[in-house]
Amino acid sequence: MKVTLAKTAGFCFGVDRAVSLVEEAVAAGKRVSTLGPIIHNRHVMDHFAAEGVRELSEPEEAAAGTTVVIRSHGVSRDVYERLSRRGVEIVDATCPFVKRIHKLVIRAEAQGRVPVIIGTPTHPEVQAIAGWCAHPHVFEGPEALENWLREDPSRAHLRLTLVSQTTSTQNLWESCKKIIKKQCTNSEIFDTICEATENRQKEAGELARCCDAMVIVGDPMSSNTKRLAMICRQFCEDVWLVEDAGGLDVSHFSCIGSVGITAGASTPAWIIKEVNNIMSEEIKVETAQEENFAELLEQSIKTLNNGDKVTGIVTAIGATEIQVDLGTKHAGYIPVDDFSSDPSVKPEDVLKVGDEIEVLVVHVNDSEGTARLSKKRLEAGKAWEEIEAAAESKAVVEGLITEENKGGIVANVKGIRVFIPASQTGVPKGGDLSALVKTTVQMKITEVNRARRRVVGSIRAVTNELRKAAQEKIWAEIEVGKKYHGVVKSLTSYGAFVDIGGVDGMVHVSELSWNRIKNPAEVVKVGDEIEVFVISYDPEKKKISLGYKTPETNPWNIFMTQFHVGDVAKVKIVKLMTFGAFAEIIPGVDGLIHISQIADRRIGKPEDVLSEGMEVDAKIIDIDAENKRISLSIRALLTASDDEAVEE
């Protein structure tokens, strides 16, 4: 008898991932529960139950502080939100292909489209997909879809988005697509049948065509296992669906010339091997290559080990995974979530088919011949080594601030989470730490505990070193008259302290302005960037006196360059006296209008004609440069005839 094993028999990578996540959580010592059966296989569930894994029916059964794994079928939005409110750690093992469908229907409704789902309405995967829609329409097959369109002809003009259950048959899906394309005018169609499912079903059909009998290994409750049996029965009359080796009647196969064996996506490798062993003990079995089934299985295992660092060639870049040729009998794939620690990095932007890539082997699936890989974990391992080296050498590292929390801020350094206490940020106590979020900073690593995945950093350690170096440079090069670009750090009643690049100097209030001021705040404020110059310095006492006002900003000098005797200026009356009025010509420079020069007639007092704040035109009739005095006249602007009349 000739026995042929389907290459695609056993776990798909989505189920494999879900089972692995449960195993990892159990190995970590967590109290683990699964929301519904993590896999449609009684043997696997019994194994996990023995490990203490609870199976929950509803989110409300989850105890706070436990870990709940969402199975590969996924859950609805409502279930996810109810679970989130339970105070549990959620491990989302939803198959990436299913997750993609969730995103498609969410986006469809956001765009005003109508989601149409092809699949078994009672299947958990379909219920989960529908649970991410406000108004989903689920049809088991082309007949139900066509009836729905026929009931109301206007539905053919709806903006439809068509998706399928990942384990649906290709024939059923193609029939539904044909109806939509023919009858609907504004539809979009997404082929969401899992490639692994499609290949498994295709190979099962091909085997059934050329074999006298077919053995389908899997849980009878598994949808994809039942579909395999249905497909095989279309081409082969003798089809056996068995849960395990105990369901085989080995005597039945004694007179059969050829047998094909395949298994559902929820069937672990050890059950497939057990079926083979029972048949091998009772019947002399040969494979297509005249080898027994056990030898065939042995050819595809142990060529890779979990934790291996390997190099492969990128063969395909998809929406949910990157396929990698490892040069072994295992097909390698990197889930998109395991590609990079930076969520903004898209594989298609940094990779192309044919590129060489180094990855870490996360999980080897011998029965399916696949290896789940991770570039992110490999980078994380290297990053930990670099972080530890930086801590030991006290080297400066760069990181992106990602969040603020109660005690400080968190940075991402090469994919590693680094906590920076508030006291080590360089921000004054009570300052706004959120301003640092989304900025790139330099820091030193002060503490590393790889076992606890704890890393502590300090921005202040770097700024202190930079400040010290800057101080040494300033004191080595400082000289009287040297100019600096500084930042006002603080104000006092007697002046302003200015940081000139690591060293603080003081600008006395008298050096801030040419005008008489009472408070430095009248001229500058904290944070202002100003140009200052050195008046004097004391290296021993580490004190620097700075100047801010310069001859170029001296109001008198400005006046002397802009005005001359005989010029007319628009002036502002600032003070009235018994003998006349003082008027501001430019800020900081006043002139006197004597009472005799205010009007074209004799007046008793200046306020008879003028008032403070009034703006008038006045002629400059005298400038005493030595004593910095200016005489102004309104009367001089009167006409000559008016002047003569006044004199008479």
Side-chain angles (χ1 to χ4, degrees), residues 405-420:
N405 60 28
K406 188 177 180 181
I409 53 177
V410 176
N412 183 318
V413 179
K414 301 181 183 298
I416 304 296
R417 178 185 170 93
V418 179
F419 173 66
I420 304 169

Side-chain angles (χ1 to χ4, degrees), residues 387 397-405 408-421 425 436-445 455-459:
I387 289 285
V397 298
E398 228 176 43
L400 175 68
I401 305 301
T402 58
E403 63 180 276
E404 175 193 4
N405 60 28
I409 53 177
V410 176
N412 183 318
V413 179
K414 301 181 183 298
I416 304 296
R417 178 185 170 93
V418 179
F419 173 66
I420 304 169
T425 61
L436 290 173
V437 176
K438 295 184 179 179
T439 64
T440 300
V441 299
Q442 291 187 321
M443 70 189 80
K444 286 195 172 186
I445 304 301
V455 184
V456 180
S458 172
I459 299 173

Side-chain angles (χ1 to χ4, degrees), residues 273-570:
K273 196 166 185 178
E274 184 183 43
V275 169
N276 166 70
N277 289 340
I278 292 295
M279 294 182 70
S280 299
E281 289 172 6
E282 301 295 332
I283 306 170
K284 294 180 180 179
V285 181
E286 294 180 346
T287 65
Q289 296 80 25
E290 298 184 351
E291 296 174 327
N292 65 48
F293 187 55
E295 289 174 350
L296 181 63
L297 284 173
E298 291 299 326
Q299 290 177 6
S300 63
I301 63 175
K302 300 304 180 185
T303 54
L304 288 176
N305 295 300
N306 295 348
D308 286 352
K309 293 179 182 178
V310 294
T311 300
I313 303 298
V314 176
T315 57
I317 302 170
T320 58
E321 65 178 13
I322 300 100
Q323 296 176 14
V324 180
D325 180 4
L326 299 173
T328 68
K329 296 178 182 179
H330 292 84
Y333 68 91
I334 309 170
V336 169
D337 291 344
D338 263 333
F339 179 70
S340 174
S341 58
D342 185 349
S344 65
V345 173
K346 296 181 179 178
E348 60 269 25
D349 293 340
V350 295
L351 279 183
K352 63 181 183 297
V353 173
D355 282 354
E356 189 173 84
I357 186 170
E358 187 178 17
V359 291
L360 184 74
V361 178
V362 177
H363 184 75
V364 177
N365 187 330
D366 293 320
S367 64
E368 190 166 347
T370 61
R372 180 157 57 93
L373 313 171
S374 175
K375 182 172 176 289
K376 180 168 72 174
R377 297 193 194 187
L378 180 65
E379 290 174 346
K382 291 180 178 179
W384 275 105
E385 293 171 4
E386 292 178 19
I387 289 285
E388 289 171 335
E392 187 174 346
S393 64
K394 294 181 170 46
V396 175
V397 298
E398 228 176 43
L400 175 68
I401 305 301
T402 58
E403 63 180 276
E404 175 193 4
N405 60 28
K406 188 177 180 181
I409 53 177
V410 176
N412 183 318
V413 179
K414 301 181 183 298
I416 304 296
R417 178 185 170 93
V418 179
F419 173 66
I420 304 169
S423 61
Q424 296 301 313
T425 61
V427 176
K429 189 174 181 179
D432 183 15
L433 294 178
S434 64
L436 290 173
V437 176
K438 295 184 179 179
T439 64
T440 300
V441 299
Q442 291 187 321
M443 70 189 80
K444 286 195 172 186
I445 304 301
T446 58
E447 180 187 338
V448 179
N449 188 326
R450 191 166 180 175
R452 295 179 59 193
R453 304 186 70 80
R454 173 180 168 83
V455 184
V456 180
S458 172
I459 299 173
R460 188 176 175 182
V462 176
T463 55
N464 283 349
E465 280 193 4
L466 294 175
R467 189 176 181 85
K468 185 178 179 181
Q471 288 173 346
E472 291 174 356
K473 185 174 186 296
I474 285 176
W475 284 112
E477 301 174 352
I478 196 169
E479 58 185 29
V480 172
K482 188 167 186 176
K483 295 181 179 180
Y484 291 95
H485 182 79
V487 178
V488 178
K489 304 299 288 185
S490 63
L491 301 177
T492 68
S493 60
Y494 50 85
F497 285 94
V498 180
D499 182 352
I500 57 173
V503 177
D504 286 352
M506 194 194 77
V507 183
H508 192 268
V509 66
S510 63
E511 293 295 331
L512 279 171
S513 175
W514 289 99
N515 300 326
R516 191 182 301 276
I517 61 172
K518 295 180 179 179
N519 192 305
E522 296 177 37
V523 180
V524 294
K525 62 180 183 295
V526 174
D528 281 355
E529 296 184 18
I530 61 175
E531 300 295 328
V532 292
F533 60 92
V534 179
I535 295 175
S536 64
Y537 61 94
D538 187 337
E540 292 183 3
K541 295 182 179 180
K542 302 294 182 184
K543 289 185 178 181
I544 303 174
S545 294
L546 301 172
Y548 178 55
K549 64 180 187 181
T550 62
E552 293 79 14
T553 61
N554 187 336
W556 180 261
N557 293 344
I558 295 172
F559 169 79
M560 292 297 289
T561 58
Q562 294 181 358
F563 295 93
H564 304 87
V565 172
D567 288 349
V568 176
K570 176 76 75 174

Side-chain angles (χ1 to χ4, degrees), residues 15 39-41 71 73 118-126 140 165-169 172 197 200-201 216-231 233 241 263-267:
V15 172
I39 180 176
H40 279 153
N41 188 281
R71 57 187 173 175
H73 294 314
I118 305 301
T120 306
T122 57
H123 192 277
E125 178 190 315
V126 176
E140 193 153 11
Q165 179 180 344
T166 58
T167 54
S168 180
T169 64
L172 184 147
T197 299
R200 188 192 314 277
Q201 292 174 353
I216 317 298
V217 186
D219 194 300
M221 298 301 295
S222 168
S223 174
N224 70 84
T225 301
K226 289 189 287 186
R227 287 189 188 278
L228 287 176
M230 181 185 72
I231 291 169
R233 288 190 179 105
L241 196 164
S266 302
T267 308

Side-chain angles (χ1 to χ4, degrees), residues 107-127:
R107 187 182 68 185
E109 288 200 326
Q111 295 173 345
R113 307 188 71 89
V114 178
V116 174
I117 305 163
I118 305 301
T120 306
T122 57
H123 192 277
E125 178 190 315
V126 176
Q127 291 176 336

